[in-house]
Amino acid sequence: MRVFVVSPYHGGSHAAWAEGWARHSSHEVHLLTMDAHFWKWRMFGAPTTLALHAERLVAEVGPPDAIVATDMLDLPGFLGRARTSIGDPLTVLYVHEIQLRYSLAEGASEDLTYAFLNWQSMEAADATWWNSGFHRGQVFEALPVLLGRFPDHRHLPLLDGVSARSSVMPVGVEVADLPTGPKAEPPVILWSHRWEYD
């Protein structure tokens, strides 16, 4: 299976996940990436830029059987722009983190734009994969509140379908560099969290 992994904000955990998966997958995985800068612009501008990258990649290797996109991509925008080159592949959204549950910094005003872009991507995908069950639960608890804030056509009836197409696919951990052997101590793994507001 030929898979295009679309990663607009390709740095840190997003890059480690995508590159690790590509390295260990039994599929033919190709990465479509952009630098990890200007995250808000990536969510708006990446669909066009990465669709152009996809056109060039399709010319080299052929169309994908599947698209796996990170949550930093406006997936409907990408699919609309890339449709003439990629065809109609299976689409998966991999959710590392989304803006819906972040606390606001003191004095910051609420902006629902990015959370709504995440929702549209979840709804457009054939499947949504989550990095943890906790994260998935937190988001599905918050989505009715988000969607209920809009004046009409609130998408609330779509929640059950999106939930049914959701699965937990934990992030892989690269263990090749851990010491092994009879004298090796058990590894200590720190699963850290965000230390600052966006």
Side-chain angles (χ1 to χ4, degrees):
M1 177 180 279
R2 182 178 301 122
V3 180
F4 288 5
V5 175
V6 186
S7 179
Y9 193 85
H10 195 67
S13 62
H14 292 247
W17 166 79
E19 292 168 10
W21 188 34
R23 193 166 42 253
H24 296 287
S25 178
S26 60
H27 300 296
E28 177 188 333
V29 178
H30 299 274
L31 302 181
L32 292 167
T33 68
M34 295 174 72
D35 292 336
H37 301 295
F38 318 115
W39 75 265
K40 290 181 180 181
W41 171 232
R42 291 295 182 259
M43 290 193 74
F44 281 109
T48 299
T49 302
L50 290 169
L52 294 170
H53 291 340
E55 287 176 11
R56 289 190 292 272
L57 186 57
V58 167
E60 292 174 23
V61 301
D65 299 301
I67 296 284
V68 179
T70 74
D71 51 64
M72 294 298 291
L73 182 71
D74 170 6
L75 182 61
F78 172 80
L79 294 174
R81 178 59 182 80
R83 69 187 177 280
T84 57
S85 63
I86 64 171
D88 188 25
L90 175 74
T91 56
V92 177
L93 182 73
Y94 191 87
V95 183
H96 294 269
E97 56 183 347
I98 66 172
Q99 302 302 309
L100 189 54
R101 293 300 297 213
Y102 280 179
S103 301
L104 290 175
E106 188 175 333
S109 58
E110 186 175 42
D111 182 354
L112 303 178
T113 306
Y114 303 98
F116 191 75
L117 282 174
N118 289 143
W119 159 249
Q120 286 185 303
S121 293
M122 287 187 278
E123 199 283 321
D126 294 312
T128 303
W129 295 345
W130 299 83
N131 61 357
S132 73
F134 176 81
H135 187 201
R136 181 186 182 279
Q138 288 274 297
V139 170
F140 276 99
E141 183 181 290
L143 276 170
V145 176
L146 170 72
L147 299 177
R149 296 178 68 172
F150 297 105
D152 63 2
H153 304 283
R154 293 180 183 92
H155 302 177
L156 290 165
L158 301 174
L159 280 168
D160 287 343
V162 173
S163 179
R165 299 190 309 269
S166 294
S167 304
V168 174
M169 298 287 178
V171 177
V173 177
E174 188 66 65
V175 296
D177 293 335
L178 294 177
T180 58
K183 294 186 177 182
E185 294 289 323
V188 175
I189 298 173
L190 173 65
W191 190 276
S192 196
H193 59 280
R194 184 175 295 270
W195 287 88
E196 60 185 329
Y197 295 105
D198 286 345

